[in-house]
Amino acid sequence: YEISTRDWSSDVCSSDLNGAGAILAGALVDRATISDANLSGANLAGASLLHLAASGANLHRANFAATLLVGADFSKANFSEACLIGANLSEASLIGVNLSEACLVGANLSKANLDGADLSGANLTGANLTGAMLSRANLAGANLNGVAGLDQ
């Protein structure tokens, strides 16, 4: 189904939202809470989701290409096989997040907290990790070509 709302702000709160396959491309969201939501396969390309609280959300194979996610909380969310090409996740909380096999080409992860994140097999080509916290992160098999801010 398609959610066509262009300005979805503030007091949106759902702990059991099921939007699998939803289309939110270009949506504007500020300070919403969608913790534990199922947005598997959703299209959020080009959306502006500032300070979104989405801990534990299922975002498997979701499209976040060129999405603005500054300061969002995705702790323990599942982004496996998701498309995050050119996404801006600066200052985001990605603690314990599953980003295995995700495409993060050119993504901005500066100052993001990736403590305990699973980035195994992820494509981080040209991503910016300047100031990112990567303690306990799993980078096994990840493509790190041209990554900025990563201590080699």
Side-chain angles (χ1 to χ4, degrees):
Y1 59 88
E2 181 172 347
I3 299 171
S4 60
T5 303
R6 296 285 304 162
D7 183 13
W8 180 34
S9 61
S10 293
D11 303 315
V12 177
C13 183
S14 175
S15 61
D16 62 352
L17 177 67
N18 184 351
I23 299 172
L24 292 163
L28 302 173
V29 179
D30 190 12
R31 300 191 193 285
T33 300
I34 58 166
S35 298
D36 299 315
N38 179 12
L39 292 172
S40 177
N43 181 3
L44 295 109
S48 179
L49 309 173
L50 302 174
H51 308 286
L52 182 68
S55 61
N58 179 10
L59 306 162
H60 173 72
R61 289 193 172 180
N63 181 2
F64 285 89
T67 300
L68 188 59
L69 301 161
V70 175
D73 179 6
F74 288 107
S75 300
K76 298 183 180 176
N78 177 15
F79 277 100
S80 60
E81 299 180 36
C83 174
L84 293 138
I85 296 170
N88 186 341
L89 289 147
S90 61
E91 300 180 13
S93 178
L94 300 165
I95 299 168
V97 71
N98 179 0
L99 285 159
S100 62
E101 304 295 328
C103 185
L104 293 141
V105 172
N108 182 358
L109 295 156
S110 62
K111 298 183 183 175
N113 188 344
L114 290 147
D115 181 35
D118 181 2
L119 292 148
S120 59
N123 186 347
L124 290 147
T125 302
N128 181 359
L129 290 170
T130 304
M133 293 172 264
L134 292 161
S135 60
R136 300 182 305 121
N138 178 3
L139 294 164
N143 183 339
L144 303 173
N145 291 329
V147 171
L150 187 63
D151 294 332
Q152 300 293 333

